[in-house]
Amino acid sequence: MLSMTGHGDGQSQNDQVSVRVEIRTVNNRHYKLSLRLSEGFGALEPRIDKVVRERIRRGTVQMTVRIDVLASGALAINQDQLTKYYHQMAEVHERLSLEAPIQLEGLLTLPGVVNEGGDRGDEIEAVWPVAKEALEQAIQTLEEMRRSEGTAMEQDLRTNCESICNELTQIEARAPVVVANHRDRLIERVNRLLEDHGVKLETNDVIREMGILADRIDISEETVRLRSHLDQFDAIMQLAESSGRKLEFVTQEMFRETNTIGSKANDAQIGRHVIDIKAAIERIREMIQNVE
């Protein structure tokens, strides 16, 4: 089980470029990549997206990829644009009587200085292996954090499922008593009506009506299905891959069966157990919103 929340970073370099990748993920029903990439390397975005999609299926991915040039021959610098910036800065210095020297390092970060006019294929091919290594490092550290949080979430989910099982066991033990109590109350009311109005009622009619009532308040089918959903929930948590969507669906079914149990039983004691089950299901529902 993997959490959709996590953080990771990675760094790689050669004699030409240095690449640093920082990645954060937050929960989302769908996959969404928000990428900040150093100017001039937009052509890398599809490749980065492909690598991330192979490792992350759900959640919003916020990623920053910073690419720094270490050697002048590695990437193209637009000398004309750099010269224009330099002259403009020189005019500002003269107008304001500034004595501090103009820093060329700062000018290199301005738009259009590096790789002006778009990406170049040979440069992208040179940068990509370094960028991919840093990206895979970042995803690896992210997965370690997501897996650690996922393990803690799984333990909490199991605790809540055990709580539901305990409440369900008590409901199952109470159910026959509820049916018997309803039957006794029905017989008592029928006898009272017969005495008050002097009406004679056939035994078969009483038995038929009692059977209909017993069927209406019988919750055995719902308790069996709820227990089955709990087994399915446990089986999904043991799958080789994290399956948040499946857990969401099963949780929905668990809540539906619990609602039906509460409405059919019409018993105060069972109602208290139903409330406790709903509280546990709500905790589960909130938690699995963050499961990939």
Side-chain angles (χ1 to χ4, degrees):
M1 180 173 292
L2 297 174
S3 168
M4 277 195 281
T5 304
H7 172 270
D9 53 38
Q11 186 169 5
S12 180
Q13 71 177 57
N14 58 17
D15 58 349
Q16 296 180 335
V17 295
S18 172
V19 181
R20 181 174 182 83
V21 177
E22 183 177 2
I23 181 171
R24 296 178 184 273
T25 57
V26 294
N27 63 323
N28 193 324
R29 290 182 63 85
H30 308 285
Y31 169 83
K32 179 182 178 182
L33 175 63
S34 176
L35 177 61
R36 295 178 60 186
L37 191 60
S38 294
E39 185 181 355
F41 297 96
L44 289 176
E45 184 168 351
R47 303 189 187 192
I48 293 172
D49 182 66
K50 184 176 183 295
V51 172
V52 176
R53 281 180 181 273
E54 292 173 351
R55 307 279 287 274
I56 300 175
R57 295 174 301 157
R58 284 213 305 169
T60 296
V61 182
Q62 300 168 340
M63 181 183 298
T64 300
V65 179
R66 178 176 177 180
I67 302 174
D68 294 318
V69 181
L70 302 180
S72 59
L75 300 168
I77 295 178
N78 190 319
Q79 297 184 16
D80 292 338
Q81 189 67 28
L82 178 61
T83 302
K84 291 178 182 178
Y85 281 133
Y86 182 84
H87 288 319
Q88 290 175 10
M89 291 297 296
E91 291 177 3
V92 172
H93 273 60
E94 183 178 355
R95 188 180 306 117
L96 299 178
S97 301
L98 300 177
E99 298 181 358
I102 300 174
Q103 299 292 331
L104 288 178
E105 293 84 352
L107 296 180
L108 288 174
T109 63
L110 294 174
V113 175
V114 179
N115 280 344
E116 179 68 9
D119 304 319
R120 299 180 181 178
D122 54 345
E123 293 167 353
I124 294 299
E125 294 303 325
V127 169
W128 173 239
V130 183
K132 185 178 181 182
E133 183 178 351
L135 176 61
E136 289 178 342
Q137 287 180 15
I139 294 177
Q140 180 64 34
T141 56
L142 170 72
E143 286 182 342
E144 290 173 0
M145 180 176 180
R146 282 156 45 100
R147 189 175 295 111
S148 176
E149 288 191 8
T151 299
M153 291 168 61
E154 181 178 352
Q155 294 174 351
D156 196 271
L157 287 171
R158 291 190 183 281
T159 299
N160 282 289
C161 286
E162 289 174 3
S163 175
I164 294 174
C165 280
N166 293 335
E167 298 296 335
L168 183 57
T169 298
Q170 296 184 61
I171 289 176
E172 290 170 332
R174 172 70 178 171
V177 178
V178 172
V179 175
N181 288 342
H182 277 285
R183 182 192 61 212
D184 293 342
R185 285 199 296 270
L186 177 62
I187 293 174
E188 182 182 350
R189 290 175 184 174
V190 170
N191 288 334
R192 190 182 305 119
L193 287 171
L194 291 176
E195 291 176 0
D196 292 343
H197 301 284
V199 179
K200 184 176 182 181
L201 195 63
E202 295 293 333
T203 304
N204 290 338
D205 294 334
V206 177
I207 294 175
R208 183 176 62 254
E209 291 300 322
M210 289 175 58
I212 293 173
L213 175 64
D215 185 63
R216 287 176 179 172
I217 65 175
D218 181 29
I219 58 173
S220 59
E221 186 176 342
E222 285 75 18
T223 57
V224 168
R225 281 202 295 262
L226 179 53
R227 198 170 288 280
S228 174
H229 293 329
L230 288 168
D231 292 339
Q232 291 175 23
F233 196 96
D234 181 70
I236 292 171
M237 286 196 293
Q238 296 183 46
L239 292 176
E241 60 181 19
S242 187
S243 302
R245 291 182 187 275
K246 292 181 180 179
L247 291 177
E248 285 181 8
F249 176 76
V250 174
T251 303
Q252 223 172 10
E253 296 302 306
M254 289 165 56
F255 192 81
R256 183 177 291 111
E257 298 299 341
T258 303
N259 262 340
T260 306
I261 290 172
S263 61
K264 286 183 69 173
N266 193 24
D267 177 74
Q269 190 169 329
I270 288 182
R272 288 192 289 270
H273 295 305
V274 166
I275 290 173
D276 291 338
I277 290 177
K278 285 185 176 180
I281 291 176
E282 190 59 33
R283 290 193 295 269
I284 290 173
R285 179 182 289 170
E286 290 178 1
M287 191 165 301
I288 60 177
Q289 296 300 316
N290 201 36
V291 176
E292 183 181 279

